[in-house]
Amino acid sequence: MSKFVGEGIVVSDKMDKTRVVRVEEYKLHPKIKKYVKKTKKFKVHDELNESKVGDIVQFISCRPISKQKSFRLLKIVQKYSGLGDEI
């Protein structure tokens, strides 16, 4: 069984050791022949609480850690360098 490796933006860091990561992808719609943006949210285990809202992170699938959490943080690709808390 292959491991799923994803990359996305952290949209929530309110839970302890858990981050909500939004992954966006563009797919060609078969009927209207336009690219449509699809988004999906994943709950990712962050053991050291090192990622913050707005960071771009990479995660990998693993054994189930809780009911909704089956992914763990691999690395922080890029830190968010904004002015405030907004994304």
Side-chain angles (χ1 to χ4, degrees), residues 31-80:
K31 208 171 211 180
I32 61 174
K33 306 293 188 231
K34 284 187 177 181
Y35 283 95
V36 180
K37 180 168 65 171
K38 298 283 186 180
T39 60
K40 190 165 182 178
K41 291 182 181 178
F42 295 94
K43 288 192 172 64
V44 177
H45 183 69
D46 183 8
E47 184 66 36
L48 303 174
N49 287 327
E50 57 190 359
S51 61
K52 301 296 178 199
V53 174
D55 292 349
I56 299 174
V57 296
Q58 196 173 34
F59 58 93
I60 190 168
S61 61
C62 64
R63 64 176 179 79
I65 298 168
S66 67
K67 180 180 176 181
Q68 297 178 339
K69 204 166 41 166
S70 295
F71 300 93
R72 63 181 170 81
L73 186 72
L74 271 181
K75 64 179 178 178
I76 298 174
V77 178
Q78 182 181 349
K79 291 291 245 181
Y80 179 64

Side-chain angles (χ1 to χ4, degrees), residues 14-30:
K14 301 209 182 297
M15 296 173 275
D16 186 34
K17 297 185 181 180
T18 303
R19 302 294 179 254
V20 179
V21 178
R22 182 182 67 217
V23 177
E24 295 179 350
E25 66 177 345
Y26 290 90
K27 288 201 165 192
L28 183 65
H29 193 281

